[in-house]
Amino acid sequence: MVVYYYTSKRKMRRKWVKNWLARRDLFGHMPLLKQLNENEPNDLKNYLRMSKTDFDRLLDLLRPRITKQDTVMRQAIPAEERLIATGKSYEDLKFSTGIAAQTLGSIIPETCKAIYEILQDTYMKVPQTSKDWKEVANGFKDRWQMINCGGCIDGKHIRICQPARSGALYYNYKNFYSIVLMAIVNHNYELIYVDVGKQGRISDGGVIQATTFYRRLQNETLNLPKPMDCEEDLNVVFIGDAAFSIEEHVLKPFPQKSLNYERRIYNYRLSMARNVVENAFGLIASRFRILQTSINVNPNDTNYIVLAICTLHNFLIKHNSSYVKPTSENSETQDTEDIDVSGQLFPLQNCKK
């Protein structure tokens, strides 16, 4: 139905909805997806960025949260379409989905927020007990030969368009606008803690120090195992690159200029374990292509988009055995060049001392 409204001078201003948008069942992408589902499942998987089985499982989890009621004015957009309408710009999506850009600007952040809030307790949960941390440490020992490791820390700059009236607040040392994704990754490439949204201009030490994880680490409220309960009676540690400061529970490599044989071996073992966080970022950038562009929405909505991506990454690791392929895993002779980490995830600046 097309509805018009008039100003006081009785001049027609605009339509309630354009004819082709009102007929999205004909001009949108859902008829195409139905055909792909019936005849070309591999093409459907490429479009959804996951298998139909994983998509249906995700939809079942989210349906109660993102389903809306029809009104006398219009029919609600179904939950399935809300979940599929992700990626690219709102203007591009308008023509492929048959949904107005203004509506997409509400649907996508709302759906991403629902994905994060519903999945986080199951798929991105920080270890809560000493036993939980020991399970993570045992995973690093068995898989990467690194003892007493509670996780790998790293941060990446995610490119965004400059927010309105933000000045240089988000302008980083690489000369583009960004927000920072700070993450801790376990031995299985899963993100067990993420912090998103710090402005790109903030110094490296300032990013990690402003997180709830760091405050809990300093306050000793993470329930880490006592040294007497760990290998060699040593602390549980979190490992990072040269951008982080060495502390009681944080280790980083020795500088290249001061290496001897023992330090080279230490750096090598540390690098082998730390590659899990680099590879996790590489998997995310490869699967979720929005990270290969400058995200052009307001920073708060960008945060939920990135948080949804992080939880979906863990969701796919749990349910999709082909998500992490054998070639994604490091061996004794492999390094992070095996994984495409180009995307738009840029490393934090190394500390200069």
Side-chain angles (χ1 to χ4, degrees), residues 52-64:
K52 184 62 164 58
T53 300
D54 290 333
F55 178 82
D56 289 341
R57 180 184 289 112
L58 181 62
L59 180 61
D60 289 340
L61 291 172
L62 297 177
R63 194 188 303 276

Side-chain angles (χ1 to χ4, degrees), residues 5-54:
Y5 78 89
Y6 299 86
T7 65
S8 59
K9 294 183 180 181
R10 306 296 295 173
K11 291 182 179 180
M12 184 177 69
R13 288 295 187 186
R14 65 182 176 90
K15 298 178 180 179
W16 175 262
V17 62
K18 295 178 180 178
N19 290 333
W20 72 272
L21 291 174
R23 302 181 64 188
R24 68 174 183 274
D25 58 332
L26 178 62
F27 298 113
H29 61 173
M30 295 307 294
L32 170 63
L33 295 181
K34 182 179 180 181
Q35 289 294 321
L36 294 180
N37 185 42
E38 294 174 353
N39 302 306
E40 299 293 341
N42 288 333
D43 288 340
L44 179 67
K45 181 178 179 180
N46 288 336
Y47 189 95
L48 298 175
R49 310 305 297 169
M50 65 180 69
S51 69
K52 184 62 164 58
T53 300
D54 290 333

Side-chain angles (χ1 to χ4, degrees), residues 17 21 77 90 94 97-105:
V17 62
L21 291 174
I77 297 172
Y90 293 159
K94 176 179 73 174
T97 62
I99 301 173
Q102 294 88 343
T103 306
L104 288 168

Side-chain angles (χ1 to χ4, degrees), residues 57-75:
R57 180 184 289 112
L58 181 62
L59 180 61
D60 289 340
L61 291 172
L62 297 177
R63 194 188 303 276
R65 175 72 174 269
I66 64 176
T67 298
K68 305 297 181 180
Q69 295 295 322
D70 295 338
T71 69
V72 295
M73 300 292 291
R74 66 179 73 178
Q75 289 184 332

